[in-house]
Amino acid sequence: MSWSARVDGVQPFRVMRLLEQAQAREAAGHDVIHLEIGEPDFPTPAPIVAAGQQALAKGFTRYTPATGLPALREAIAGHYADRFGARIDPARILVTPGASGALLLASQLLVQRGDRVLMADPTYPCNRHFMALAEARVDAIPVGPESGWQLDASLVDRHWHPATRLAMLATPSNPTGHTLDAPGLGAVAETVAARDGVLLVDEIYQGLTFDASPVSAVACAPNAFVVNSFSKYFGMTGWRLGWLVAPDAAIDPLTRLAQNVFLASSTPAQHAALAAFSPECREELERRRHELHRRRDVLLAGLERLGLAPSLPPQGAFYVWLDVSRHTRDSQAFCQRLLEEENVAITPGVDFALQGGERHVRIAFTNDISRLEEALMRLERFIARQ
């Protein structure tokens, strides 16, 4: 049987295979340190879990509107007002099954066959694949320390093509953990608007910043489409809940898409997410952010001792993007051997970068400090043998 040609360009997400191997080694009795997956070791905050349990106990298991529970849309709008001073109509917010649901809606609405999309290289690979499934061409623009590992306004201007329809940013980014500040976001928005294009901003790691307050395109690029998630900052990975902020004119077609593509997001998860904005939960989430900041600094100090520290430290998320070309030109083999020889799981850069991925790896500081220190000792032992 032949399959649809649209799936031919969708590459496997290698980190998931590496995770399976790491878990198999654990099951065989090995002490594996997991630094490969984008999921911290923190459980979902207790207030969120309690709210979900209460929702189930009260029988809140029927469909919500396709755009989401009205109270949750209002709570998200309140979040933007409280944290960023951005007042938006809750009607502009669509609650989705994870940020992936939001990206699916945005890609299906905004691009079609023949359109071109600008995004940074490296980036989260699913961002490329969503656009490819909508039959758009992705122009992956190599970025590095000189642009802060971001697709900035000058790069957008330089690489814009007559067929370019959309520019996509991610801040903080996966895999590099780097951010765009408000002026930088605003400059990209102005450049895209001048070209009569559309700006899509992935803010899935928003809230997880360490050296400056978080910013949102909602506040500085009001016509942008903005994707966010309850997974990363709010600790709800398995609940599969995200949202999309869109301009007024886009809400009707997005609603029709949502009604037909996924009908509605999980009702218990939406009720649980209402508690994510409570003062009690916010206090716990900020404690976790400070802990991730400590972990980042411990990891960077250890990498500095090994001569591996990045020239530009990550400003957010929970990743370090490392150039390991002194030790390998095959990041996939490097990660495989590190797992097999030292039981440390990290991610090969080829998952994220079309250019230079074979020289880079991503380390997620999603384990506690004692485990990070142990991982650094094992990594030192490993590279001494290279």
Side-chain angles (χ1 to χ4, degrees), residues 350-372:
V350 289
D351 255 349
F352 306 97
L354 298 178
Q355 296 188 44
E358 70 284 353
R359 301 191 309 272
H360 288 83
V361 298
R362 188 194 74 176
I363 298 180
F365 42 97
T366 48
N367 228 310
D368 66 35
I369 286 176
S370 65
R371 296 293 277 169
L372 287 175

Side-chain angles (χ1 to χ4, degrees), residues 2-174:
S2 61
W3 310 118
S4 166
R6 70 172 55 90
V7 303
D8 290 345
V10 178
Q11 299 300 313
F13 201 6
R14 297 170 183 84
V15 67
M16 302 310 294
R17 174 60 178 156
L18 198 73
L19 175 62
E20 291 175 11
Q21 293 176 345
Q23 291 171 336
R25 291 187 67 81
E26 276 185 314
H30 297 281
D31 176 29
V32 175
I33 302 176
H34 289 276
L35 306 178
E36 81 278 35
I37 200 71
E39 186 173 37
D41 54 337
F42 311 128
T44 299
I48 297 175
V49 173
Q53 291 170 333
Q54 290 169 14
L56 290 169
K58 292 177 180 179
F60 293 156
T61 56
R62 303 180 71 84
Y63 293 132
T64 69
T67 51
L69 195 68
L72 182 56
R73 298 167 80 191
E74 292 172 5
I76 294 169
H79 170 70
Y80 281 115
D82 292 342
R83 295 208 71 179
F84 306 106
R87 300 196 175 277
I88 60 172
D89 186 344
R92 291 180 52 203
I93 299 167
L94 290 87
V95 179
T96 58
S100 295
L103 287 165
L104 175 63
L105 293 183
S107 63
Q108 293 301 308
L109 178 74
L110 296 174
V111 297
Q112 57 192 345
R113 180 181 296 176
D115 287 342
R116 296 172 73 152
V117 176
L118 294 180
M119 63 179 68
D121 183 27
T123 193
Y124 180 59
C126 297
N127 292 343
R128 294 193 298 264
H129 294 152
F130 273 118
M131 297 303 163
L133 288 171
E135 300 187 90
R137 170 177 166 174
V138 173
D139 293 322
I141 309 305
V143 298
E146 66 283 352
S147 67
W149 291 99
Q150 284 286 349
L151 187 64
D152 62 17
S154 65
L155 288 170
V156 170
D157 185 60
R158 188 185 318 155
H159 292 279
W160 198 273
H161 182 275
T164 303
R165 164 71 173 162
L166 177 72
M168 184 173 183
L169 307 177
T171 177
S173 67
N174 176 13

Side-chain angles (χ1 to χ4, degrees), residues 14-362:
R14 297 170 183 84
V15 67
M16 302 310 294
R17 174 60 178 156
L18 198 73
L19 175 62
E20 291 175 11
Q21 293 176 345
Q23 291 171 336
R25 291 187 67 81
E26 276 185 314
H30 297 281
D31 176 29
V32 175
I33 302 176
H34 289 276
L35 306 178
E36 81 278 35
I37 200 71
E39 186 173 37
D41 54 337
F42 311 128
T44 299
I48 297 175
V49 173
Q53 291 170 333
Q54 290 169 14
L56 290 169
K58 292 177 180 179
F60 293 156
T61 56
R62 303 180 71 84
Y63 293 132
T64 69
T67 51
L69 195 68
L72 182 56
R73 298 167 80 191
E74 292 172 5
I76 294 169
H79 170 70
Y80 281 115
D82 292 342
R83 295 208 71 179
F84 306 106
R87 300 196 175 277
I88 60 172
D89 186 344
R92 291 180 52 203
I93 299 167
L94 290 87
V95 179
T96 58
S100 295
L103 287 165
L104 175 63
L105 293 183
S107 63
Q108 293 301 308
L109 178 74
L110 296 174
V111 297
Q112 57 192 345
R113 180 181 296 176
D115 287 342
R116 296 172 73 152
V117 176
L118 294 180
M119 63 179 68
D121 183 27
T123 193
Y124 180 59
C126 297
N127 292 343
R128 294 193 298 264
H129 294 152
F130 273 118
M131 297 303 163
L133 288 171
E135 300 187 90
R137 170 177 166 174
V138 173
D139 293 322
I141 309 305
V143 298
E146 66 283 352
S147 67
W149 291 99
Q150 284 286 349
L151 187 64
D152 62 17
S154 65
L155 288 170
V156 170
D157 185 60
R158 188 185 318 155
H159 292 279
W160 198 273
H161 182 275
T164 303
R165 164 71 173 162
L166 177 72
M168 184 173 183
L169 307 177
T171 177
S173 67
N174 176 13
T176 73
H178 292 94
T179 62
L180 276 167
D181 59 16
L185 273 171
V188 173
E190 290 176 6
T191 302
V192 171
R195 300 281 195 159
D196 198 27
V198 181
L199 178 62
L200 174 62
V201 185
D202 167 355
E203 296 185 349
I204 293 168
Y205 293 90
Q206 185 201 62
L208 292 175
T209 56
F210 308 123
D211 303 314
S213 297
V215 299
S216 174
V218 168
C220 54
N223 292 320
F225 288 73
V226 179
V227 173
N228 211 321
S229 174
F230 285 98
S231 289
K232 306 302 183 179
Y233 177 70
F234 296 101
M236 296 180 66
T237 50
W239 298 75
R240 307 310 305 131
L241 203 63
W243 72 85
L244 175 66
V245 182
D248 290 327
I251 297 305
D252 176 67
L254 285 169
T255 300
R256 286 186 274 117
L257 278 171
Q259 290 167 343
N260 285 275
V261 172
F262 50 71
L263 192 63
S265 299
S266 162
T267 299
Q270 291 187 67
H271 281 277
L274 286 168
F277 302 107
S278 67
E280 178 186 8
C281 194
R282 175 67 182 277
E283 181 179 349
E284 172 60 18
L285 294 172
E286 284 298 290
R287 184 195 68 78
R288 295 178 180 194
R289 182 178 67 84
H290 288 299
E291 172 60 18
L292 287 170
H293 191 168
R294 290 179 60 232
R295 293 180 183 185
R296 182 202 68 165
D297 290 349
V298 166
L299 180 58
L300 289 176
L303 293 170
E304 180 73 34
R305 290 193 299 272
L306 300 181
L308 287 173
S311 59
L312 188 64
Q315 301 130 337
F318 33 70
Y319 306 116
V320 176
W321 181 246
L322 289 183
D323 184 341
V324 291
S325 58
R326 287 173 51 194
H327 305 289
T328 185
R329 289 303 176 100
D330 185 344
S331 62
Q332 193 166 355
F334 183 90
C335 293
Q336 188 71 45
R337 293 198 309 271
L338 180 61
L339 176 62
E340 293 173 356
E341 297 177 24
E342 294 291 349
N343 292 303
V344 175
I346 61 175
T347 308
V350 289
D351 255 349
F352 306 97
L354 298 178
Q355 296 188 44
E358 70 284 353
R359 301 191 309 272
H360 288 83
V361 298
R362 188 194 74 176

